[in-house]
Amino acid sequence: MPPVIDKEKCTGCGVCAEICPLQVFRFRRKEDAVPEVRRPYECWHCNACVLDCKAGAIELRLPLTHMLLYVDSDSLKPSWTGRDTQK
Amino acid sequence: MIPVKEELACDVAVIGGGIAGLMAAIAAADEGADVILLDKANTRRSGAGATGNDHFLCWIPEKHGDISVVYDEFMDSQNATSNDTPLVMRFLETSPKIVNMWNDWGINMKPTGDWHFEGHAYPGRPRIFLKYDGHNQKKVLTAEAKKRGVRILHHCPVLDIFRNDEGVTGVLALDASDDEPAFRLIRAKAVVAATGYVSRLFTTDPTPSQMFNTNMCPSGTGDSIAQAWRIGAYLVNMEKTYRHAGPRFLARCGKATWIGVYRYPDGRPIGPFITEPNVETSDMTSDVWSSAFTDLKLAGTGPAYMDCSGASKEDLEHMRWAMKCEGLTALLDYMDKEGIDPGKHAVEFGQYEANLVTNGIEIDINGQSNVRGLYAAGDMMGNISGDIGAAAVYGWIAGHHAAEHRERKQSEGELAGAKDRMALYSDLYGREGGASWQEANFALQQIMTEYADCGPHRVRSETMLNAGIKYLGDLRKKIVRDMGARDAHELMRAAEVLNLLDLGEALMISARERKESRGRHLRSDYTFTNPLLRDKFLRIWRDGGEIRTEWRERLR
């Protein structure tokens, strides 16, 4: 779910857990080697953790519900059917 | 009982470390006040400006000439329906100073080398939004606050504000930095409330299953508006709910950063302003006609697309840069991964659910509420809009004036009311097997959306609002009885739900009182717009156990 931590790259500095505006992570410095993505449904995908991770160990995965809807710009044109075909 | 971890005292307590809160803390500390700032998260990445912003409403005399040029344009802009003119003038007059300060501190306000204004503009008319690079703004402002000795308490949401007959006395905060909750009691001579806009009050429009898919960060639940309400502060314009627009299913602000044209599926522009992408103005259509996306859907002529394909390569690169300044890097990363290229692909836009921004605490020219020593700044100001520009400037103004209270005597004895509130939160924390905060929040959202939603496709009426107010009261009893929290984080969220309940109630009662249709406030029982109410603001407040409302003239 939303933030995905690469355990190989993570240095366990905990900055992601510290700066996340929504406390998506849980990290207990003494016990955890890698932060736990504890509350994925509270992720807003602001990218703060990705931007601030010096090890580049975090990627965001946007849920399918958040898909960007798009079409080819070329397709935005009148469909030449109906009235126009009778010209 | 949840333990009290520490009791602190200061001259000025600032609630919320967004743009307004940090600027208030900086200004108060500059005046020599001892300042404590409390933030739900970490001020380096919290609030609406967490990862950046790229446009700042301001007056730069050498570019605009007379201040009236900016004032007139501002009053014609989106969401400017709740502005007291003297406050707008003070904001604009002070804005050049703040913009220069930010630039000196290392937030690049002249990324093109000069003051440059673009976006949110009408073709042929003056432009009032300064294009800037705010990607580092929160880190810079946090460093400036620390430099001045401001004590910042991270992961420490405020739960309540307290007062006596003299004015504010302090705040109760929750230490949510670990699983185990603890309280902090902070005595203060003045309090600056700066927790921002209100999201999560209505069912998320694009994705009802995803409560946190909101256009502004869902950590914003208007907490200190509700806290101020509970101690008798005037709220104003609560019925004027706002609905933002942007990419349909990925709720996000920043629509004016897109350099394109809103088009029908047959390619015709939706609005009258531009026919090809214009980097200087962007497409003002959705600012002026905010319901456009919903209207098209209902008329069967949608969906509406943001089409940037006619923009030059240079302009598309500029847009990409601006999106980074605005903090939209998650969106850019996603588009890159999915192979979505704004130069070739048109993106569907839609309208989001209602939220509260520029609805909240009524302030005077100095940022003070009717409660002595209680100030408010930022998106939660009820009588001035202006986004990040107004947040920065009014935060700074409020901080300066809050610091004047440092000569006051600190209150003594117990903070009146603190015991009861601590017992309430402790009760929620101790409760096993009850309703979760999510359940309570969803229940609140469904009542708000069913009975108090706004236009263009939802209407309000006296009978529906009466029912909604009744049901909200019923829900409140159940929430207080059943809601439980298993750790400090959940307790913070549970407290947010209690705050949202208060704001929902204030909103519904205000909406019932405005017996006309105006903007998005559509009344099926009063379908007309009453000219006599054009410049009237509705004030609502709690007077002991009673809720009172009163009309007042907009200040000109």
Side-chain angles (χ1 to χ4, degrees):
Chain A
M1 283 305 287
V4 181
I5 303 176
D6 183 333
K7 292 190 172 64
E8 300 298 313
K9 286 188 189 167
C10 175
T11 60
C13 73
V15 72
C16 53
E18 180 51 40
I19 54 88
C20 175
L22 294 152
Q23 294 192 329
V24 166
F25 304 91
R26 180 177 184 270
F27 182 63
R28 297 192 133 181
R29 198 168 294 280
K30 286 178 193 156
E31 299 157 26
D32 304 336
V34 175
E36 174 198 357
V37 181
R38 178 81 172 262
R39 306 172 187 100
Y41 286 101
E42 293 178 41
C43 178
W44 186 59
H45 316 100
C46 71
N47 232 26
C49 55
V50 175
L51 294 169
D52 287 354
C53 177
K54 290 208 172 85
I58 308 180
E59 259 194 78
L60 281 190
R61 187 188 76 75
L62 262 63
L64 297 176
T65 45
H66 293 47
M67 70 188 279
L68 211 60
L69 309 166
Y70 65 97
V71 296
D72 283 343
S73 295
D74 292 344
S75 73
L76 299 184
K77 55 189 170 199
S79 46
W80 299 106
T81 54
R83 238 180 337 183
D84 291 301
T85 56
Q86 292 165 18
K87 271 183 189 167
Chain B
M1 188 73 126
I2 295 170
V4 177
K5 183 178 183 174
E6 55 186 343
E7 294 190 34
L8 302 166
C10 60
D11 295 324
V12 178
V14 180
I15 310 175
I19 300 295
L22 281 168
M23 288 300 285
I26 288 168
D30 273 345
E31 290 290 317
D34 178 21
V35 183
I36 294 180
L37 184 152
L38 304 106
D39 195 283
K40 238 181 217 186
N42 184 305
T43 59
R44 282 179 293 163
R45 291 291 191 194
S46 61
T51 55
N53 279 109
D54 73 337
H55 47 289
F56 189 115
L57 200 165
C58 59
W59 172 50
I60 299 292
E62 62 259 42
K63 290 287 170 189
H64 293 117
D66 194 72
I67 197 167
S68 64
V69 172
V70 181
Y71 173 81
D72 291 345
E73 228 37 47
F74 178 28
M75 295 301 273
D76 265 346
S77 69
Q78 67 174 357
N79 216 25
T81 56
S82 305
N83 285 331
D84 277 325
T85 292
L87 274 63
V88 173
M89 293 309 287
R90 179 139 186 222
F91 152 44
L92 294 177
E93 281 161 7
T94 315
S95 65
K97 180 175 177 160
I98 303 300
V99 169
N100 276 295
M101 262 162 45
W102 276 30
N103 200 52
D104 292 345
W105 292 343
I107 302 169
N108 193 353
M109 306 305 282
K110 295 180 184 175
T112 59
D114 190 14
W115 305 118
H116 179 72
F117 289 78
E118 72 177 48
H120 282 301
Y122 301 98
R125 290 261 295 258
R127 300 193 296 267
I128 61 174
F129 283 91
L130 179 71
K131 196 75 173 173
Y132 80 106
D133 178 0
H135 79 278
N136 64 344
Q137 59 191 9
K138 290 302 304 291
K139 290 183 177 175
V140 169
L141 295 179
T142 299
E144 290 296 324
K146 284 189 173 163
K147 213 186 275 178
R148 289 163 173 79
V150 173
R151 282 180 281 172
I152 302 181
L153 302 176
H154 297 299
H155 303 288
C156 194
V158 166
L159 300 172
D160 280 287
I161 308 171
F162 303 111
R163 67 172 292 182
N164 60 20
D165 292 341
E166 302 288 309
V168 292
T169 53
V171 302
L172 168 68
L174 174 72
D175 178 358
S177 60
D178 208 338
D179 288 349
E180 283 293 315
F183 291 129
R184 281 195 174 101
L185 279 165
I186 293 132
R187 209 172 279 277
K189 299 167 187 172
V191 170
V192 182
T195 56
Y197 54 86
V198 184
S199 55
R200 282 168 42 206
L201 190 51
F202 291 85
T203 303
T204 314
D205 188 311
T207 54
S209 68
Q210 303 278 351
M211 189 194 287
F212 278 46
N213 190 20
T214 52
N215 58 290
M216 292 208 278
C217 182
S219 63
T221 45
D223 302 301
S224 53
I225 309 177
Q227 291 151 9
W229 158 259
R230 291 200 285 268
I231 60 165
Y234 292 156
L235 307 188
V236 70
N237 290 313
M238 290 296 284
E239 75 284 9
K240 293 180 183 169
T241 33
Y242 177 64
R243 296 185 64 190
H244 207 70
R248 183 57 189 139
F249 285 154
L250 176 55
R252 213 57 33 156
C253 288
K255 59 186 163 63
T257 307
W258 295 73
I259 301 167
V261 182
Y262 294 117
R263 295 191 194 279
Y264 288 100
D266 68 3
R268 279 176 303 137
I270 289 168
F273 302 108
I274 53 172
T275 54
E276 290 302 323
N278 183 328
V279 65
E280 299 299 333
T281 64
S282 69
D283 190 343
M284 272 294 261
T285 303
S286 72
D287 285 26
V288 178
W289 178 16
S290 63
S291 66
F293 309 111
T294 309
D295 289 352
L296 261 62
K297 197 164 66 173
L298 295 179
T301 54
Y305 290 100
M306 164 48 73
D307 175 24
C308 307
S309 63
S312 66
K313 203 173 159 236
E314 203 180 30
D315 285 351
L316 287 168
E317 271 165 27
H318 177 76
M319 178 169 109
R320 193 176 171 86
W321 165 80
M323 282 184 165
K324 282 184 189 160
C325 302
E326 171 83 346
L328 296 174
T329 55
L331 178 69
L332 287 173
D333 289 353
Y334 175 83
M335 290 202 288
D336 291 348
K337 265 187 234 167
E338 299 289 327
I340 302 169
D341 174 0
K344 291 182 194 151
H345 299 123
V347 174
E348 184 180 333
F349 268 41
Q351 200 176 16
Y352 306 133
E353 73 283 356
N355 58 28
L356 293 176
V357 52
T358 320
N359 324 78
I361 300 177
E362 178 174 334
I363 55 168
D364 67 13
I365 190 88
N366 297 328
Q368 190 168 211
S369 73
N370 60 310
V371 177
R372 186 172 175 218
L374 176 62
Y375 291 75
D379 281 339
M380 55 187 295
M381 300 182 288
N383 47 335
I384 174 172
S385 60
D387 305 336
I388 192 162
V393 174
Y394 249 98
W396 192 79
I397 291 169
H400 268 281
H401 290 285
E404 289 165 7
H405 294 256
R406 69 187 182 283
E407 308 300 338
R408 261 178 74 192
K409 215 167 140 271
Q410 196 77 266
S411 72
E412 287 172 356
E414 272 183 27
L415 286 171
K419 250 189 186 160
D420 288 349
R421 297 303 290 183
M422 287 195 284
L424 167 76
Y425 300 117
S426 297
D427 201 26
L428 298 179
Y429 179 56
R431 195 173 283 157
E432 300 268 331
S436 66
W437 69 265
Q438 289 97 334
E439 190 181 310
N441 202 155
F442 275 126
L444 169 65
Q445 289 185 335
Q446 72 194 25
I447 291 179
M448 294 305 296
T449 303
E450 189 77 5
Y451 299 95
D453 206 352
C454 59
H457 61 315
R458 296 285 197 141
V459 291
R460 297 165 171 171
S461 78
E462 179 141 351
T463 55
M464 290 293 281
L465 287 162
N466 277 340
I469 292 162
K470 195 265 179 191
Y471 302 152
L472 214 55
D474 295 346
L475 177 65
R476 182 192 292 275
K477 283 182 203 145
K478 291 180 204 296
I479 285 177
V480 171
R481 187 189 67 198
D482 294 344
M483 184 167 64
R486 293 171 300 183
D487 58 27
H489 174 83
E490 289 190 0
L491 188 56
M492 170 176 77
R493 294 274 181 260
E496 290 169 354
V497 174
L498 294 175
N499 291 333
L500 289 169
L501 260 174
D502 280 340
L503 298 175
E505 187 182 13
L507 188 160
M508 282 208 206
I509 295 170
S510 300
R512 184 175 59 183
E513 203 60 28
R514 188 174 275 280
K515 295 181 169 72
E516 63 157 353
S517 291
R518 180 172 295 277
R520 288 166 292 268
H521 172 71
L522 297 180
R523 287 282 299 249
S524 55
D525 47 353
Y526 297 94
T527 54
F528 54 91
T529 297
N530 181 352
L532 298 180
L533 295 177
R534 186 184 61 200
D535 284 317
K536 295 274 193 191
F537 286 179
L538 184 64
R539 177 187 276 168
I540 183 165
W541 74 100
R542 267 176 55 153
D543 183 2
E546 300 285 307
I547 293 174
R548 299 189 191 283
T549 59
E550 182 180 86
W551 290 99
R552 73 153 169 94
E553 287 292 325
R554 183 179 82 78
L555 303 178
R556 290 156 198 261

